[in-house]
Amino acid sequence: MKNYVVFLFQLMVWSGYTLAEWLSQHDRLLFKVIMFIVFLNVAVFIGKKVLNSNLKTFLVTLISLTTYSVIQLVLRTFGQL
């Protein structure tokens, strides 16, 4: 159950990243990478606080980031039709 809660919180973090990325459309790539690293650290911090396990945190973060990426890819692909 804790894994699911962390997954949902991390999806909220990635949604916040999407909003921040949209607001910074004209920024350079370096700043977007730095912003991604900051949001990744927030997601990992949430996972470590709730799960108390580095391995579970890594796995849940990887799954949430993969899910976020797939959703973004699908939305961008079907949004162009």
Side-chain angles (χ1 to χ4, degrees):
M1 185 66 174
K2 286 183 180 182
N3 294 340
Y4 183 65
V5 170
V6 170
F7 177 79
L8 290 178
F9 277 134
Q10 287 182 349
L11 280 183
M12 287 184 226
V13 169
W14 299 127
S15 297
Y17 170 74
T18 302
L19 177 64
E21 185 183 29
W22 177 70
L23 290 172
S24 64
Q25 287 177 356
H26 303 292
D27 286 349
R28 287 186 275 168
L29 181 62
L30 174 67
F31 296 120
K32 290 183 180 185
V33 169
I34 292 171
M35 183 175 60
F36 176 78
I37 292 170
V38 168
F39 277 88
L40 180 64
N41 283 332
V42 170
V44 169
F45 177 77
I46 290 170
K48 281 186 179 181
K49 280 296 183 182
V50 175
L51 295 175
N52 297 323
S53 170
N54 289 336
L55 180 61
K56 285 183 182 179
T57 299
F58 173 75
L59 291 175
V60 172
T61 304
L62 185 66
I63 291 169
S64 70
L65 185 56
T66 303
T67 303
Y68 162 77
S69 300
V70 167
I71 290 171
Q72 289 297 312
L73 183 64
V74 167
L75 290 176
R76 288 182 185 178
T77 301
F78 290 123
Q80 294 177 357
L81 293 178

